[in-house]
Amino acid sequence: SSSNYLRRMTGTSNHTVLLPDATTLTSGKVYLIRNETTSSTITVNSYGGTLVQSLPAGKTGRYICIDTRNHFISSNCYYMCFI
């Protein structure tokens, strides 16, 4: 997929991000979503609309395509704060 590797979300309102269709990717493709909002949560959904993660303000989620059929994984251990 030609989607951006890094997506920065800013502002004061909640956002929803839809991850790309995994069938168009290769295994191991990584996306970073950085929540730079002041206090809002970003809802990160799979291409099919299933919740992958609610990403709190000030955090970055790392999402890895592990199965090109339709699966993404995310883990709290991938949270990092950018200053």
Side-chain angles (χ1 to χ4, degrees):
S1 173
S2 62
S3 301
N4 292 334
Y5 166 79
L6 172 66
R7 176 150 306 168
R8 292 175 50 235
M9 307 302 284
T10 61
T12 58
S13 60
N14 292 332
H15 298 278
T16 299
V17 174
L18 188 65
L19 292 169
D21 181 354
T23 63
T24 67
L25 305 174
T26 55
S27 290
K29 179 74 174 181
V30 177
Y31 290 91
L32 295 177
I33 299 172
R34 187 180 301 175
N35 186 348
E36 295 181 359
T37 65
T38 55
S39 62
S40 302
T41 298
I42 295 175
T43 301
V44 180
N45 289 336
S46 69
Y47 184 75
T50 303
L51 177 67
V52 174
Q53 186 173 48
S54 294
L55 186 63
K59 300 292 182 181
T60 298
R62 181 179 181 199
Y63 306 93
I64 305 167
C65 179
I66 58 167
D67 182 336
T68 57
R69 288 175 288 192
N70 63 3
H71 300 94
F72 273 87
I73 62 167
S74 174
S75 172
N76 288 341
C77 68
Y78 289 124
Y79 281 169
M80 59 193 89
C81 185
F82 290 88
I83 299 172

